[in-house]
């Protein structure tokens, strides 16, 4: 691999043979962390921004977020009138108007008898809101309607794009918002610190290549395309020492290095397990969770990635913001090329598209979040534990704990419970945990196994956090989903008002 | 599927057109259970028995079993002399002579100080013996040296034979002894009640077919062979209501039906998940754990299996025992054919080979176990928990609990602990648990993950059975193995005399 010194010299040599680019756009940090990118202060949109898409994505985010945000104020209003005459119809009217559904009558009866249980009602309303949001998503929300992506990807030399972001809720929108990719065409599997499971990835690779050989899906095995594995690590430009990746001690260099190591381990696993030139392609992306700026470390054709060499979307934004669209696209591609020594043309094309897509997101954050998210720290609404959650495409809504067993996921779950102790428990509110297992309905017995998994995990969770559970400070919703059929979720049971939930759907 | 009545009539019609066979050899039970097969009382070996193989397998079994069996008497001898002068050298001489290794000096010092700890010493000696036995196995024991099996299997139309026996220790010898197959050429994965994991099996099928497409291993994908999935359920002819399969309430019909249902579920999973005629072939075998007689339910080409139709190896034995080898082989194949309506010629060939192989085992049990095992119930020496244990090819040595997590395997582990409470704890001896995870050394990080798995499972076991562990009645040995390199096991640590074990190897 070229040293940074060598690479910089090489870039300098090339720079002499072409018109000099504005320095601020090609200069990048010497190390991954440490330099805060320039703020984008314009009120005008970037020429490559998809204004209509931004509006649509914002409307969706607002709709979902406001539904969750309305829960506490609404319940407080109900609590305030619990001693009044005509409480029950008044309360139902308030809840119906603000949240779009009614509370179970038994809870209002309890409240009138002086037993207003905010914990139970909060959990119930959270789960009800979650289910409505989930149903809405699976009833046909495309978010990014890009039907050309699959063929574009193949043209770039990749038949599959598999992305492992960190499980942190601040990255949950990375596919649909930050990178603006159609979620159905990209495999996403999140892990704490983006430390994805090598064995599981080799299995997925095997299945993918098998389908190419056997069924020509998505393309035939004799086409020279590869499986592209992408890791998204993250950092905070505002507060790098505290709001970065918890799994890597908020150390950006460590997060990047660990992501790179894991990518190479996966590549080596494929190469060592199979013969005849079996391999994968790699991509490493860093995300500033305060601004959604990305830095892309482009891999050379031989898989080498230099952590100190990356293209930063905010620099590209600033350099190209006053150009027309065609000029901007051309300069953008040139900047990607500057940082892509040894990369294939396909990789350059793909990275150019990702950077382009991200420019829209930079404007999104500028326009709707005043350039920098107000919630730069954790502000998730619930924990999602299990396998699934395709519908979670929004930032800071869900703390993910992808898992089969509590036994294997204790570290992730403990972190989640700690975060929610700060967010909810200290305010007297319970931790809502959605336990979810997706299954393939065409496999006999798969639904029963998913149901058994839900119940096993719920039991293990209650055993591990028994004090919280006993105090009504940890509530669970159990749901499964036939992901092969693309259906909505099926709620099995809940620790709050089991009958009401089960009866309602 | 033909009804039994119809099939019997059809057999009767065919019988008219050929010389009548002795009735006792073709008659079979109307249902799977209920009829005790005839006892084989001859002292002469069957003409198709492999006498030399029997002798070799017996020598191996004796060597291993006597090493385990010597532990308790030897330790009792040591205990008896603990107050004598010159105790330490005398004790070491006794142990060295009987067990082939020395006890850790610290334990003898403890004994001399009046603290002879039989529990600790028993666990230590068990683990030491297990490790010696395991090392011996992986240093080159073939047991069945059949280098033609792979090509024979392909000739029969199967590129892989995948066998799921019940995890009961009385079936642990099914590959090398009962069916006399080379263990390296057959995939074995045991599950309680033979209830194998469908999702895991589909993954294995995918990997197998992928290797055929990509690397032509073991044969090319365009050769019309199939993956053969075999289930071995079991029953006890001596005490069918108590010594059958615990997972199915010692009900032979239930055990057979559940095995068949699982086979069909796997077949359907493959057919529904992949297109273009993807499927597997099926075989269902019942094992009488008292005598090692097998009953083979041959599947028709379309996958149908009639539970009431099977060929019983003890009937074939009796019909052919007085023939010469050529005659016996010919009659055996004819009997297989009688029970194989709709089966392929390859399937008939394979089943004929399995029945032939099993004749040697019937003589083995006759000769060395007086026709019927003395230990018809559980008599395992230790629990094997985790992934691996290829070296366990002997009957009633190990209670298997194949598993990733204690959380998922609680049912199996509880049964194992219950069995060993009867076998060991009631006699003041601890339950020895070998926790083992095999890994693929060419996959980066795999060894570390195997080690972490061992420790996680050991912690979870100690937590679940904390009283036993605290009383020194549950001891663990943690071991991993690079199965890709075919190496011996690597012992990580033990709950007894951690330093001695770790230092010794």
């Amino acid at each position: 691999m070229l040293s940074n010194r060598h690479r910089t010299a090489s870039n300098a040599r090339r720079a002499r043979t072409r018109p000099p680019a504005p320095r601020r756009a090609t200069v990048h940090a010497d190390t991954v962390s440490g330099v805060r990118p320039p703020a984008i202060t314009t009120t005008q949109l970037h020429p490559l921004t998809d204004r209509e898409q931004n509006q649509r994505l914002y409307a969706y985010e607002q709709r979902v977020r406001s539904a969750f945000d309305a829960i506490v104020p609404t319940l407080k209003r109900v609590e305030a009138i619990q001693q009044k005459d005509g409480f029950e119809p008044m309360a139902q009217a308030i809840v119906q108007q603000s949240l779009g559904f009614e509370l179970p009558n038994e809870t209002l009866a309890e409240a009138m008898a002086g037993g207003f249980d905010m914990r139970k009602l909060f959990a119930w309303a959270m789960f009800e809101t979650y289910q409505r949001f989930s149903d809405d998503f699976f009833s046909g929300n495309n978010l990014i309607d890009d039907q050309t992506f699959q063929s574009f990807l193949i043209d770039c030399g990749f038949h599959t794009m598999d992305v492992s972001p960190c499980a942190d809720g601040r990255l949950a929108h990375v596919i649909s918002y930050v990178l603006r990719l159609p979620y159905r065409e990209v495999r996403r599997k999140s892990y704490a610190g983006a430390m994805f499971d090598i064995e599981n990835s080799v299995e997925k690779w095997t299945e993918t290549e098998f389908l190419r050989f056997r069924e020509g899906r998505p393309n035939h095995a004799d086409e020279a395309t590869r499986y592209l594995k992408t890791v998204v690590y993250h950092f905070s430009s505002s507060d790098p020492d505290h709001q970065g990746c918890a799994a890597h001690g908020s150390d950006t260099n460590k997060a990047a290095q660990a992501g790179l190591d894991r990518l190479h381990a996966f590549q080596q696993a494929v190469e060592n397990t199979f013969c005849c030139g079996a391999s994968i392609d790699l991509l490493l992306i860093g995300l500033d969770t305060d601004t959604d700026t990305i830095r892309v470390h482009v891999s050379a054709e031989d898989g080498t990635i230099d952590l100190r060499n990356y293209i930063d979307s905010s620099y590209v934004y600033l350099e190209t913001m006053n150009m027309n669209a065609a000029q901007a696209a051309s300069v953008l591609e040139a900047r990607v090329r500057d940082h892509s020594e040894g990369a294939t043309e396909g990789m350059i094309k793909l990275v150019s598209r990702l950077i382009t897509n991200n420019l829209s997101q930079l404007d999104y954050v500028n326009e709707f979040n005043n350039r920098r998210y107000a919630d730069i720290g954790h502000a998730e609404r619930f924990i999602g534990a299990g396998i699934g959650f395709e519908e979670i495409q929004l930032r800071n809504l869900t703390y993910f704990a992808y898992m089969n067993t509590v036994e294997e996921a204790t570290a992730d779950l403990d972190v989640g419970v700690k975060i929610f102790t700060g967010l909810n428990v200290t305010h007297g509110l319970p931790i809502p945990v959605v336990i979810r297992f997706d299954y393939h309905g065409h496999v006999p017995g798969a639904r029963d196994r998913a149901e058994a998994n839900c119940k096993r995990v719920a039991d293990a969770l209650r055993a591990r956090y028994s004090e919280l559970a006993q105090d009504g400070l940890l509530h669970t919703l159990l749901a499964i989903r036939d992901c092969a059929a693309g259906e909505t979720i099926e709620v099995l049971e809940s620790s709050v008002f089991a009958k009401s939930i089960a009866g309602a759907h």
Side-chain angles (χ1 to χ4, degrees), chain A:
Chain A
M1 200 187 296
L2 289 175
S3 74
N4 192 45
R5 183 181 298 274
H6 184 95
R7 189 181 288 272
T8 309
S10 154
N11 285 347
R13 273 199 302 282
R14 263 185 303 170
R16 281 195 291 274
T17 66
R18 61 170 80 156
R23 275 200 65 74
R24 64 173 183 179
T26 51
V27 163
H28 53 71
D30 263 349
T31 59
V32 181
S33 63
V35 174
R36 184 166 165 163
I40 297 165
T41 50
T42 176
T43 51
Q44 198 189 322
L45 296 186
H46 189 280
L48 294 175
T49 286
D50 186 334
R51 178 190 303 263
E52 184 276 329
Q53 192 180 64
N54 272 11
Q55 295 292 341
R56 203 159 39 76
L57 289 176
Y58 183 63
Y60 174 74
E61 180 172 16
Q62 274 306 97
R63 188 152 46 90
V64 174
R65 212 170 281 284
S66 60
F68 282 98
D69 288 348
I71 293 172
V72 170
T74 304
L75 293 179
K76 288 199 167 157
R77 281 173 62 198
V78 172
E79 188 177 23
I81 59 161
Q82 63 181 307
Q83 302 306 334
K84 292 201 177 167
D85 287 343
F87 163 68
E88 200 167 327
M90 276 166 64
Q92 291 295 27
I94 290 170
V95 174
Q96 178 68 50
Q97 195 211 346
S98 305
L99 304 181
F101 50 82
E102 294 202 341
L103 293 178
N105 280 324
E106 66 208 77
T107 64
L108 296 181
E110 277 176 25
M112 283 166 70
F116 188 90
D117 188 338
M118 180 61 115
R119 292 175 185 181
K120 261 189 183 180
L121 284 173
F122 172 78
W124 194 87
M126 282 295 298
F127 292 149
E128 188 69 23
T129 305
Y130 162 70
Q131 190 176 354
R132 281 160 182 268
F133 142 72
S134 177
D135 287 351
D136 172 62
F137 184 89
F138 289 121
S139 302
N141 204 324
N142 273 325
L143 293 182
I144 303 299
D145 189 18
D146 182 350
Q147 292 174 9
T148 64
F149 184 70
Q150 177 79 70
S151 59
F152 168 79
L153 198 63
I154 288 177
D155 286 347
C156 291
F158 312 109
H159 50 265
T160 297
M161 184 166 178
D162 171 342
V163 180
S164 278
C166 178
D168 190 308
R170 293 170 296 172
L171 281 82
H173 65 319
V174 70
I175 302 299
S176 294
Y177 282 73
V178 176
L179 300 177
R180 304 285 168 111
L181 300 175
Y183 74 90
R184 282 198 189 88
E185 309 296 337
V186 178
R187 181 181 191 237
R188 174 186 68 173
K189 213 153 179 220
S190 310
Y191 293 87
M195 294 295 92
F196 63 88
D197 181 314
I198 303 274
E199 278 78 8
N200 177 279
S201 299
V202 172
E203 268 163 26
K204 191 70 201 174
W205 181 85
T206 302
E207 185 194 325
T208 303
E209 301 305 310
F210 174 60
L211 285 174
R212 295 178 68 217
F213 273 107
R214 192 171 191 286
E215 307 185 0
R217 285 195 283 156
N219 65 347
H220 283 278
D222 53 9
E223 291 183 42
T225 56
R226 276 199 184 158
Y227 188 103
L228 178 66
K229 180 72 191 186
T230 304
V231 155
V232 185
Y233 68 90
H234 65 105
F235 57 96
S236 158
S237 54
S238 317
D239 190 2
D241 294 339
H242 302 100
Q243 297 296 352
C245 185
H248 300 293
S250 215
D251 181 326
T252 310
N253 286 318
K254 268 194 194 160
Q257 185 66 54
L260 178 58
D261 291 348
R262 193 54 61 119
L263 283 173
H264 280 145
F266 178 26
Q267 187 179 50
Q268 204 184 321
V270 169
E271 290 175 0
N272 293 355
T273 306
F274 303 95
C275 75
C276 321
S279 192
I280 55 165
D281 280 328
L282 312 176
L283 192 57
L284 182 65
I285 298 176
L287 172 66
D288 175 2
T289 52
D290 304 345
T291 63
D292 285 348
T293 296
I294 58 171
R295 35 176 77 164
V296 183
H297 306 262
V298 187
S299 69
E301 197 169 0
D302 65 0
T304 56
I305 289 177
D306 182 348
L307 283 185
R308 292 166 299 187
N309 181 29
Y310 55 79
I311 175 152
D312 183 313
S313 61
S314 64
Y315 285 96
V316 175
Y317 186 105
L318 289 168
E319 185 184 356
T320 56
M321 58 187 277
N322 295 318
M323 300 176 180
N324 66 37
Q327 279 178 320
S330 158
V331 169
L332 182 151
E333 193 189 309
R335 292 304 155 260
V336 171
R337 206 171 283 279
D338 290 344
H339 293 277
S340 302
E341 202 171 330
T344 61
E345 280 301 308
M347 180 64 88
I348 291 169
K349 233 166 71 179
L350 175 65
V351 172
S352 298
R353 176 126 161 192
L354 297 179
I355 296 281
T356 305
N357 289 357
N358 182 247
L359 297 179
S360 289
Q361 183 64 9
L362 297 186
D363 271 338
Y364 184 96
V365 179
N366 284 339
E367 188 174 357
F368 304 121
N369 293 277
N370 197 23
R371 296 200 295 276
R372 194 165 281 272
Y373 287 111
D375 54 342
I376 65 163
H378 286 282
E380 292 94 341
R381 275 31 168 218
F382 61 92
I383 293 178
I387 308 287
F389 296 110
E390 204 176 45
E391 73 273 35
I392 308 292
Q393 300 283 336
L394 287 177
R395 182 179 182 277
N396 235 345
L397 186 70
T398 312
Y399 177 86
F400 281 122
Y402 279 106
M403 58 172 213
N404 280 307
T405 61
V406 171
E407 183 178 327
E408 290 163 298
T410 44
D412 286 3
L413 285 168
D414 286 352
V415 170
V417 166
K418 193 177 162 198
I419 290 170
F420 274 83
T421 298
L423 292 175
N424 288 16
V425 175
T426 54
H427 301 101
L429 294 174
I431 306 175
V433 185
V434 177
I435 300 172
R436 157 89 165 272
F437 282 88
D438 279 13
Y439 65 93
H440 291 273
H442 54 254
V443 174
R447 190 196 164 284
D448 293 346
R449 289 187 286 277
E451 186 170 342
N453 285 343
C454 273
K455 291 183 175 166
R456 173 178 47 70
V457 166
D459 287 347
L461 265 185
R462 272 193 291 271
R464 185 162 183 88
Y465 308 106
S466 53
E467 278 189 32
L468 285 172
Q470 276 162 24
D471 294 345
L473 287 169
L474 185 135
H475 275 294
T476 50
L477 180 79
L478 279 58
I480 58 178
R481 178 174 174 253
D482 182 353
C483 59
E487 284 172 5
T488 55
I489 61 169
E490 175 187 350
V491 169
L492 300 173
E493 60 180 69
S494 157
S495 58
V496 231
F497 310 128
K499 281 178 201 160
S500 307
I501 288 265
H505 303 281

